[in-house]
Amino acid sequence: MSCPELLRTQAFLDGELDGAAAAQAERHIESCAECQRFCSDAANLSDAIREQASRYDAPNPVRARILGALKPEGAKSAPRRSFWSGVAGGVGVSALAAAISFFAVLPPSAEMLAQSVTDAHTRAMMNGKTIQIASSSHHTVKPWFAGRIAISPPVADFQDEGFTLTGGRIDKIAGLPAAVVVYSHGKHQIDLFVWADQGSNLPGDSTSHGYHVLFWKKADLDFAAVSDTDKTELKKFVGLVKAEPE
């Protein structure tokens, strides 16, 4: 028999509920096997769609055109003002648009990523806005991400190992949308940032403002784990995440 709460469960996954209604739907999901299966199926479908999607790379002619417009200093070329004159006359509009698109998708530097991750974690902690979906159930957190970001972050509970899933949120890393899976470890919080790989060289492990940050790649995703917990414990957490099946 179909659960009468399925429509509300779907509304919850679609982000249409908030406040008391969202909390009530979450409590129901945690106690209803049918709605848990519905959430799991929704997350699996989202994963399958993403696996079939292809990533876009700028065609070689576009890249060549952009590089041709950016000739090195001293090369024989028309005066610098000629390019902008062409734009004003409509001649260089397509080249300008291509150049803007090209630079918009340049991968962020390692330094930018390191600073951005630390800033995002610190900002969330100071603002008290570390969690947008509060739940210790991956049946709830995983599909919540599916409707809000075009990646599929791993969501697992490592409570038996001392790392308890508490929820998640959406954030940004160097301008890129990122899923943040939130865990508690004793009195400490661990933020697991996950975002689509852009071909960047990731920073090495670091400590900034008392927070340890560990970076790694897996498949087409980039990861960063941030916390003020002991670095050895953070490395243990990272090992658990890495061991999760894709």
Side-chain angles (χ1 to χ4, degrees), residues 116-160:
S116 184
V117 167
T118 303
D119 288 349
H121 178 76
T122 304
R123 182 173 59 250
M125 296 291 288
M126 292 183 65
N127 293 341
K129 298 179 179 179
T130 59
I131 293 178
Q132 292 174 319
I133 172 67
S135 177
S136 60
S137 171
H138 71 277
H139 293 296
T140 301
V141 179
K142 178 80 170 179
W144 183 86
F145 281 121
R148 290 166 175 80
I149 190 168
I151 61 170
S152 180
V155 179
D157 187 11
F158 307 113
Q159 185 172 6
D160 291 345

Side-chain angles (χ1 to χ4, degrees), residues 16-158:
E16 297 174 1
L17 304 180
D18 55 17
Q24 187 175 1
E26 182 185 341
R27 287 193 297 270
H28 171 75
I29 292 169
E30 292 179 351
S31 63
C32 176
E34 185 173 355
C35 285
Q36 288 178 11
R37 286 193 298 271
F38 179 82
C39 291
S40 180
D41 290 343
N44 291 336
L45 177 60
S46 178
D47 290 348
I49 292 173
R50 292 190 181 103
E51 288 173 1
Q52 295 299 319
S54 57
R55 296 179 61 183
Y56 175 79
D57 290 321
N60 289 332
V62 174
R63 293 175 180 272
R65 189 173 184 179
I66 294 170
L67 293 175
L70 301 173
K71 291 183 179 180
E73 186 177 354
K76 293 182 179 180
S77 62
R80 185 182 299 269
R81 61 183 175 81
S82 66
F83 175 78
W84 297 107
S85 298
V87 171
V91 177
V93 172
S94 60
L96 176 62
I100 292 173
S101 298
F102 178 79
F103 286 112
V105 297
L106 283 176
S109 66
E111 293 78 10
M112 182 184 295
L113 287 174
Q115 186 65 50
S116 184
V117 167
T118 303
D119 288 349
H121 178 76
T122 304
R123 182 173 59 250
M125 296 291 288
M126 292 183 65
N127 293 341
K129 298 179 179 179
T130 59
I131 293 178
Q132 292 174 319
I133 172 67
S135 177
S136 60
S137 171
H138 71 277
H139 293 296
T140 301
V141 179
K142 178 80 170 179
W144 183 86
F145 281 121
R148 290 166 175 80
I149 190 168
I151 61 170
S152 180
V155 179
D157 187 11
F158 307 113

Side-chain angles (χ1 to χ4, degrees), residues 95-244:
L96 176 62
I100 292 173
S101 298
F102 178 79
F103 286 112
V105 297
L106 283 176
S109 66
E111 293 78 10
M112 182 184 295
L113 287 174
Q115 186 65 50
S116 184
V117 167
T118 303
D119 288 349
H121 178 76
T122 304
R123 182 173 59 250
M125 296 291 288
M126 292 183 65
N127 293 341
K129 298 179 179 179
T130 59
I131 293 178
Q132 292 174 319
I133 172 67
S135 177
S136 60
S137 171
H138 71 277
H139 293 296
T140 301
V141 179
K142 178 80 170 179
W144 183 86
F145 281 121
R148 290 166 175 80
I149 190 168
I151 61 170
S152 180
V155 179
D157 187 11
F158 307 113
Q159 185 172 6
D160 291 345
E161 291 82 5
F163 305 95
T164 302
L165 175 67
T166 58
R169 70 179 187 274
I170 302 296
D171 214 316
K172 281 195 173 183
I173 298 300
L176 303 171
V180 187
V181 190
V182 183
Y183 292 83
S184 66
H185 181 59
K187 296 181 179 180
H188 305 275
Q189 175 174 310
I190 299 176
D191 277 355
L192 175 63
F193 290 85
V194 189
W195 66 96
D197 179 51
Q198 302 292 314
S200 301
N201 292 320
L202 295 184
D205 298 348
S206 63
T207 300
S208 178
H209 305 296
Y211 296 115
H212 304 298
V213 190
L214 308 182
F215 289 87
W216 72 98
K217 291 179 183 282
K218 187 174 182 181
D220 59 350
L221 297 177
D222 290 346
F223 295 79
V226 189
S227 181
D228 61 352
T229 191
D230 182 80
K231 192 171 184 179
T232 301
E233 291 299 298
L234 187 60
K235 287 183 176 180
K236 178 182 176 182
F237 169 78
V238 169
L240 292 171
V241 177
K242 288 182 176 180
E244 280 294 292

